[in-house]
């Protein structure tokens, strides 16, 4: 997807502050954090949203879910963290490339509605 900002980050066209990368996944600090630790975890395969997953994506989603706690540990989030997926415009999704938010530490007022 040539116009997808996350695809451009994955392809190295846009720089990011990477915290994790393997053959299938890239994790990097969010440009607009709402918590002390705010990292985005994206599959390198372009999938528009959670609604667009297919059966063939099950291993990829499993791999992402196994990587998230490891990434959180490297961020020093020993006390816990929040994982969030925005899906669709009404769900707050602004970039249409499946991505997971890892949030931890002190939350900003901007995140007050999500922090329950």
């Amino acid at each position: 997807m040539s116009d997808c900002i996350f695809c451009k980050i994955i392809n190295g066209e846009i720089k990011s502050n990477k915290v994790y990368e393997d053959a299938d996944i890239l994790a990097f600090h969010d440009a607009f954090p709402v918590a002390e630790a705010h990292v985005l975890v994206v599959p390198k395969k372009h999938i528009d949203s959670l609604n667009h997953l297919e059966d063939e994506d099950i291993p990829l989603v499993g791999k992402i879910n196994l990587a998230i706690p490891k990434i959180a540990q490297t961020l020093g989030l020993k006390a816990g963290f929040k994982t969030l997926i925005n899906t669709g415009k009404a769900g707050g999704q602004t970039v249409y490339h499946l991505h997971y938010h890892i949030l931890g530490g002190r939350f900003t007022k901007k995140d007050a509605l999500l922090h329950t």
Side-chain angles (χ1 to χ4, degrees):
M1 303 291 291
S2 62
D3 60 340
C4 171
I5 191 167
F6 290 167
C7 288
K8 289 179 180 182
I9 291 170
I10 290 164
N11 292 327
E13 298 170 43
I14 297 174
K15 292 186 182 209
S16 68
N17 189 357
K18 295 179 189 177
V19 296
Y20 177 84
E21 183 172 17
D22 67 24
D24 301 308
I25 302 167
L26 178 65
F28 51 92
H29 289 278
D30 194 306
F32 304 103
V34 297
E36 284 181 278
H38 187 168
V39 169
L40 302 177
V41 182
V42 298
K44 289 185 176 180
K45 174 184 177 183
H46 183 90
I47 301 168
D48 281 350
S49 75
L50 197 59
N51 289 334
H52 294 88
L53 288 170
E54 298 181 9
D55 288 344
E56 68 185 35
D57 299 316
I58 291 171
L60 176 60
V61 171
K63 187 173 182 180
I64 291 169
N65 281 286
L66 289 173
I68 287 172
K70 294 174 186 173
I71 295 166
Q73 184 177 14
T74 66
L75 296 170
L77 301 175
K78 293 177 175 73
F81 59 93
K82 180 187 299 188
T83 306
L84 175 77
I85 304 171
N86 300 95
T87 306
K89 185 176 180 179
Q93 187 176 8
T94 58
V95 177
Y96 286 86
H97 184 129
L98 177 66
H99 58 285
Y100 301 65
H101 297 257
I102 300 174
L103 301 159
R106 192 173 29 134
F107 289 81
T108 65
K109 289 182 183 178
K110 180 179 177 183
D111 188 48
L113 294 176
L114 299 175
H115 191 59
T116 56

